[in-house]
């Protein structure tokens, strides 16, 4: 019996993004509409500035992050600093 490398089974970035978009579209209203306004970013690993700001040394410890202001805390008086972002991180496929 051969042992499979778990990294070889990892979905590529495009598949992870499609799965996340399908999940958003599958949400019931009233959550679907606001969720479609959130930017979705899919990367292999979190950027260094995110790891540094969170005090995380091992990039494998962070698989996702919401960056923005929760809807329950937003006000029409707030000046938007940018769009809210959902970051999804995956371990890249082994090149071996």
């Amino acid at each position: 019996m051969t042992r499979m490398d778990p990294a070889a089974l990892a979905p590529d970035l495009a598949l992870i993004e499609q799965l996340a978009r399908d999940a958003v579209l599958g949400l019931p209203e009233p959550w679907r509409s606001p969720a479609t306004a959130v930017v979705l970013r899919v990367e292999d690993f979190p950027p260094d500035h995110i790891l540094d700001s969170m005090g995380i040394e091992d990039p494998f410890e962070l698989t996702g992050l919401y960056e923005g202001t929760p809807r329950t805390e937003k006000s029409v008086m707030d000046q938007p600093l940018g769009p809210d972002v959902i970051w999804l991180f995956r371990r890249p496929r082994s090149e071996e």
Side-chain angles (χ1 to χ4, degrees):
M1 181 168 154
T2 60
R3 185 173 170 182
M4 288 199 109
D5 177 9
L9 301 176
D12 63 17
L13 295 172
L15 179 56
I16 291 176
E17 181 176 356
Q18 187 59 53
L19 292 170
R21 291 191 187 287
D22 290 347
V24 168
L25 293 175
L27 292 171
E29 286 300 342
W31 298 282
R32 183 182 323 120
S33 293
T36 59
V38 177
V39 173
L40 181 61
R41 298 224 20 209
V42 182
E43 302 286 340
D44 284 326
F45 284 107
D48 288 338
H49 74 275
I50 288 178
L51 294 172
D52 293 344
S53 70
M54 298 181 77
I56 297 174
E57 293 182 23
D58 183 356
F60 288 98
E61 292 181 9
L62 186 62
T63 57
L65 177 69
Y66 177 83
E67 189 174 51
T69 305
R71 285 188 55 86
T72 57
E73 297 176 18
K74 287 188 179 194
S75 166
V76 294
M77 302 301 288
D78 290 339
Q79 291 294 320
L81 300 173
D84 293 349
V85 178
I86 292 177
W87 293 81
L88 299 175
F89 308 115
R90 71 164 207 111
R91 178 180 158 186
R93 237 180 260 262
S94 172
E95 297 297 325
E96 299 172 2

